[in-house]
Amino acid sequence: MSTTKSTGATRAGTVLATRPLMGWRTVDLLTIAFLGVAFGVAYWGYGLLYNGPISALGLAFQPLFGLFVGFWFIAGVVGGLVVRRPGAAIACELIAATVSALFGNQWGVTTVVSGLAQGIGAELAFAIFAYKAFGPAVALLSGALSAPLEWVYEIYWYFVDWTWAWKLAYLPLMVVSGVVVAGLGGWLLTRALAQAGALNPFPPGQEVLERRAV
């Protein structure tokens, strides 16, 4: 029998955030801020890689660059998986994008617009399940849904000269990258942090503690 006290309700082996859902704790706010900053620095570093070696690939079929955008979706996925409250995914992605812009990148303040678009998509996956499901399937969906709004923004802001054939090809490649890199990658990262004990105050950490206590 488990004697571990859960941070919230349990549904089919999943620990939920304490109710009410909008009752954000101080630790929730601080953790989203910390994750956002950490991912923002990582985003900035990845931007250097994207504009250097990746861009140097000189892909003739430019929509293939969509396969490399998923890393920029991961903050929203992880933020939602960790805190499990409405707005966590959007906030984490938006903070990460803002930090990346402040560090300096070629996209400047428009990075914040991208962060908002990606965060809304990531948030939608958790909202669809009323913040009661946080398994790998939901993580993959969150990564996938991070792409569509960003795609709309990019084709009208950055890629207006592309043919519609290229624009339409770009979206599924972005989705694939979101699923694999942000969805699967975010899920594995959250599990690794929970296993290491870094998320004990949060539902993922409590799930690990409860399994170990059985």
Side-chain angles (χ1 to χ4, degrees):
M1 178 182 297
S2 172
T3 58
T4 304
K5 184 178 179 181
S6 167
T7 58
T10 302
R11 179 178 180 270
T14 298
V15 177
L16 307 180
T18 52
R19 271 34 185 174
L21 267 180
M22 294 305 296
W24 281 63
R25 305 169 299 170
T26 300
V27 68
D28 296 329
L29 296 170
L30 292 176
T31 298
I32 285 296
F34 174 79
L35 287 172
V37 171
F39 279 118
V41 175
Y43 283 4
W44 171 78
Y46 185 68
L48 299 178
L49 178 65
Y50 185 86
N51 292 318
I54 293 177
S55 293
L57 292 174
L59 298 178
F61 185 60
Q62 293 184 27
L64 283 174
F65 283 112
L67 293 173
F68 299 95
V69 303
F71 185 77
W72 281 305
F73 304 162
I74 196 169
V77 176
V78 173
L81 289 175
V82 171
V83 173
R84 303 186 179 182
R85 296 185 186 279
I90 292 177
C92 197
E93 188 67 47
L94 193 55
I95 292 171
T98 302
V99 170
S100 175
L102 290 175
F103 266 74
N105 58 40
Q106 75 174 64
W107 303 284
V109 70
T110 63
T111 305
V112 179
V113 180
S114 289
L116 180 60
Q118 294 159 189
I120 291 173
E123 188 76 42
L124 181 59
F126 301 110
I128 287 173
F129 293 93
Y131 300 92
K132 293 180 179 179
F134 299 91
V138 179
L140 297 180
L141 179 62
S142 183
L145 293 182
S146 297
L149 284 180
E150 176 64 13
W151 173 79
V152 171
Y153 172 61
E154 289 190 17
I155 65 170
Y156 285 106
W157 187 262
Y158 295 119
F159 306 128
V160 293
D161 58 334
W162 279 9
T163 65
W164 270 102
W166 276 24
K167 291 175 181 178
L168 293 175
Y170 186 49
L171 176 57
L173 294 172
M174 293 177 72
V175 170
V176 168
S177 186
V179 168
V180 175
V181 180
L184 180 58
W187 167 254
L188 293 175
L189 176 59
T190 302
R191 282 178 59 87
L193 290 172
Q195 292 285 349
L199 300 179
N200 285 352
F202 299 95
Q206 289 296 311
E207 289 168 356
V208 171
L209 293 175
E210 290 189 356
R211 285 196 297 270
R212 290 174 177 173
V214 174

